[in-house]
Amino acid sequence: MSERSLLIVVLAAGKGTRMRSTRPKVLHRIANLSMLGHVLSRCQEIGAARVAVVVGPDMADVEAEAVARFPGAAIFVQPDQLGTADAVKAAGPLIAGHDGDVLVLYADTPLLRTETLARLRTRLAGDSDIVVLGFEAADPGGYGRLLCGPDGRLTAIREDKEASDAERAVRLCNSGVMGFRGRHLAGLLARIGNANAKGEYYLTDAVGIANGDGLTASVITCGEDEVLGVNDRTQLATAEAIFQSRARRAAMLAGVTMWAPETVYLSFDTQLGRDVEIEPNVVFGPGVTVEDGAVIRANCHFEKARIGPGAIVGPFSRLRPGADIGPDAHIGNFVEVKNATVESGAKANHLSYIGDGRVGSRANIGAGTIFCNYDGFAKHRTDIGAGAFVGSNSSLVAPVKIGDGAYIGSGSVITKEVAAGDLAISRSPQVAHTKWAERFRLRMLRHRDKKG
């Protein structure tokens, strides 16, 4: 199989009007990746040499996503929506010169497994010139039916509107995903007509033409959820739920503990190490890596962040892009970290904002500490040395540096560098006014009585 070149044609020209959105359907996201991105990821995993993405007119955003997710993807425009065969014909310049395998995939069918595509290729390497991916539908209404002869060979694909009553009783349905030996595809496409109820050019008609030429067509099957097509927001939510269930299961089988898996949201690229423990209600946005033995307490939200081995994060922590939490560090409740490194063994356990800076190893950040990183025009960095102690309710006005082992007195506003080992205190002196509170209360009570 590896000796045969693979071309994949991804059909992405649908307008998706049922999504009720200004965004093209295939750019709607599952696990923080567009549906088109999911399909193109499978193209990479299966080892496609070339990918053709067929789009509709004025779909520059879809073109950009295609090239971003599969660099080198060739973009072809289908001017009119005249059916699946018409869409595949748009990629004709690549198909004509290709003698290996060709797979036709759909950008709104994002849950296909790489293993299934590999089985398609294996069948093409054997005795089949065309392979169709089918599934047993719980409710086959509306799907094209796969009609097979006594020997199991695929004889025809009948669209639901064209099917007889007997054919509609067949539960083996067409997913739309097809594989071809490339040397046959261009000739088959050229002979597909549109004499049907919708006046469209159906790629499925290639099966009947191929049988007439003495070629062999066959079927492989997969689960219905794998070929779920997404046409509206409810189906998008269903696809999301399927992805999340798969991803959680894979994580747990790989050594992750989840207290309540159904409450944990994973992104398409979430990386979780062995013996990671995740409490309920945790959201992993894109670009998050959690290394071995880390503990994630409940109700956290992470995005584009790294959590080192043995670190403890949460509950109610937020890690924003650029957060890098070192080994055995602690990030506690209502602590937000953005574009900052918290080094090995450092702690910020309560109610703090750490933005644009570094917290050195074994340093302690007291409750209510704020890195004042923004002056209204630019961001500035705060650097806290190893073993430093920052007292509660301190404001560190960047750019500023706190040396190794330094102490910051609680309630301080620090605007200048603090040398290693020094104590810095910046607060107004405490003043006591004898009996002021008692006199104030009496005055206010008399005022209230006069008004009443």
Side-chain angles (χ1 to χ4, degrees):
M1 188 170 67
S2 61
E3 296 177 357
R4 301 192 324 277
S5 179
L6 174 61
L7 165 64
I8 299 181
V9 180
V10 179
L11 305 188
K15 297 177 181 177
T17 55
R18 281 186 279 170
M19 297 297 285
R20 299 292 191 269
S21 177
T22 57
R23 180 188 303 168
K25 177 173 68 170
V26 301
L27 297 186
H28 284 262
R29 294 183 292 273
I30 294 169
N32 287 308
L33 178 65
S34 69
M35 292 193 285
L36 174 59
H38 280 278
V39 175
L40 292 175
S41 292
R42 301 296 83 74
C43 294
Q44 290 180 327
E45 291 166 7
I46 196 63
R50 297 297 306 273
V51 168
V53 179
V54 180
V55 303
D58 303 317
M59 296 180 76
D61 44 0
V62 177
E63 295 181 27
E65 176 74 352
V67 173
R69 295 298 173 182
F70 196 104
I75 307 299
F76 296 93
V77 177
Q78 181 188 17
D80 301 302
Q81 308 296 299
L82 299 178
T84 52
D86 181 65
V88 176
K89 282 182 181 179
L94 280 188
I95 293 170
H98 185 77
D99 193 40
D101 296 341
V102 179
L103 301 184
V104 178
L105 309 182
Y106 294 80
D108 61 359
T109 306
L111 298 174
L112 273 173
R113 299 179 188 272
T114 306
E115 296 85 348
T116 301
L117 299 181
R119 288 195 292 121
L120 273 170
R121 294 203 70 195
T122 298
R123 184 65 65 87
L124 286 172
D127 60 356
S128 295
D129 300 292
I130 298 177
V131 184
V132 176
L133 182 60
F135 64 99
E136 291 280 348
D139 177 7
Y143 291 113
R145 306 305 202 278
L146 301 181
L147 308 179
C148 297
D151 58 358
R153 290 174 56 174
L154 180 64
T155 58
I157 304 176
R158 194 79 72 233
E159 297 298 328
D160 188 67
K161 291 183 178 181
E162 310 289 332
S164 66
D165 290 342
E167 290 168 342
R168 288 194 184 97
V170 173
R171 304 189 71 85
L172 182 60
C173 295
N174 176 35
S175 72
V177 174
M178 300 179 70
F180 299 85
R181 289 182 179 173
R183 62 181 178 273
H184 303 305
L185 181 54
L188 294 171
L189 289 171
R191 288 181 284 162
I192 292 175
N194 66 341
N196 52 63
K198 295 180 69 174
E200 294 186 350
Y201 298 87
Y202 295 143
L203 183 63
T204 51
D205 288 348
V207 171
I209 298 170
N211 278 314
D213 290 347
L215 302 177
T216 301
S218 65
V219 177
I220 68 167
T221 60
C222 66
E224 186 171 3
D225 63 348
E226 190 172 345
V227 288
L228 172 70
V230 175
N231 296 298
D232 57 34
R233 308 266 184 162
T234 60
Q235 291 173 335
L236 186 70
T238 299
E240 181 74 62
I242 293 169
F243 179 94
Q244 293 297 328
S245 179
R246 286 183 187 177
R248 295 171 192 138
R249 175 177 169 79
M252 289 186 286
L253 290 175
V256 174
T257 295
M258 296 185 184
W259 288 18
E262 69 280 2
T263 70
V264 175
Y265 178 90
L266 302 171
S267 284
F268 73 101
D269 59 351
T270 303
Q271 299 291 319
L272 302 174
R274 184 173 296 180
D275 293 320
V276 168
E277 186 172 340
I278 303 173
E279 293 183 6
N281 303 314
V282 176
V283 175
F284 293 90
V288 177
T289 296
V290 183
E291 297 186 12
D292 293 354
V295 176
I296 310 302
R297 304 290 188 201
N299 301 294
C300 292
H301 189 286
F302 310 136
E303 181 179 358
K304 296 180 181 177
R306 186 190 73 89
I307 300 170
I312 300 174
V313 180
F316 295 98
S317 297
R318 184 182 182 196
L319 302 183
R320 291 170 58 195
D324 190 345
I325 311 304
D328 302 312
H330 291 189
I331 302 296
N333 51 288
F334 302 103
V335 175
E336 179 178 335
V337 182
K338 187 271 293 183
N339 192 32
T341 299
V342 179
E343 295 181 352
S344 174
K347 297 179 180 180
N349 279 325
H350 319 280
L351 303 160
S352 296
Y353 173 64
I354 300 171
D356 296 292
R358 177 185 75 98
V359 178
S361 62
R362 303 179 310 284
N364 186 87
I365 306 299
T369 295
I370 299 172
F371 284 26
C372 305
N373 59 329
Y374 183 52
D375 63 8
F377 296 93
K379 300 289 180 71
H380 304 279
R381 289 184 62 79
T382 297
D383 189 86
I384 296 178
F389 183 94
V390 179
S392 298
N393 198 35
S394 295
S395 297
L396 309 179
V397 182
V400 70
K401 181 176 181 179
I402 312 298
D404 293 351
Y407 264 64
I408 305 300
S410 297
S412 294
V413 178
I414 302 300
T415 60
K416 299 178 181 179
E417 180 175 346
V418 179
D422 281 6
L423 166 66
I425 303 172
S426 174
R427 64 168 84 106
S428 299
Q430 183 171 316
V431 177
H433 295 272
T434 304
K435 301 296 184 180
W436 180 92
E438 184 178 321
R439 294 194 301 271
F440 174 75
R441 290 192 188 95
L442 288 172
R443 186 167 66 251
M444 296 307 292
L445 289 170
R446 291 192 196 103
H447 180 69
R448 186 188 66 184
D449 292 345
K450 286 180 181 179
K451 290 183 68 176

